Amino acid sequence: MFAVHCLDHADALPRRLANYDAHKAHLAQGRVKTVISGPLVAEDGETMIGSLFVFSAEKIEDVRAFNAADPFNAANVWRSVSINPFLMRVDNRSLELL
């Protein structure tokens, strides 16, 4: 698995909203499987400031290519992207948390 941490440009919200449907469609297809994803938010709990993903893929190169093809990337939403291998040790998610 791979963790992807993206932080938005300060002025990215209009581009983020305009490209949300295309971004969501992108996550639903491809060789890279989305395990979890969602927006990072400011301390107010609402203002979107980035994105967090955990992907399942064969190689980090697949994740890099998948992320590079994301409509948010093409729309210059993200000012920084970090992609790291991830070893899940604990998974306490349950349906009531989702």
Side-chain angles (χ1 to χ4, degrees):
M1 286 201 262
F2 300 89
V4 181
H5 183 267
C6 308
L7 293 176
D8 291 359
H9 289 281
D11 63 350
L13 187 57
R15 295 187 304 280
R16 173 181 274 277
L17 297 175
N19 289 278
Y20 177 70
D21 289 337
H23 164 73
K24 197 163 93 172
H26 176 73
L27 293 178
Q29 57 82 33
R31 292 185 311 198
V32 172
K33 179 182 179 217
T34 303
V35 178
I36 60 170
S37 70
L40 297 171
V41 294
E43 289 184 18
D44 65 10
E46 294 179 18
T47 304
M48 292 179 279
I49 61 167
S51 303
L52 178 67
F53 309 94
V54 174
F55 291 125
S56 177
E58 292 290 320
K59 306 176 289 193
I60 195 168
E61 292 82 7
D62 294 338
V63 176
R64 288 180 180 138
F66 186 71
N67 184 265
D70 191 301
F72 279 1
N73 193 41
N76 199 31
V77 170
W78 297 318
R79 70 174 164 82
S80 68
V81 175
S82 298
I83 300 174
N84 298 96
F86 173 71
L87 300 174
M88 183 167 43
R89 300 277 192 228
V90 177
D91 184 353
N92 290 321
R93 290 175 292 151
S94 70
L95 293 177
E96 61 204 348
L97 294 175
L98 300 175

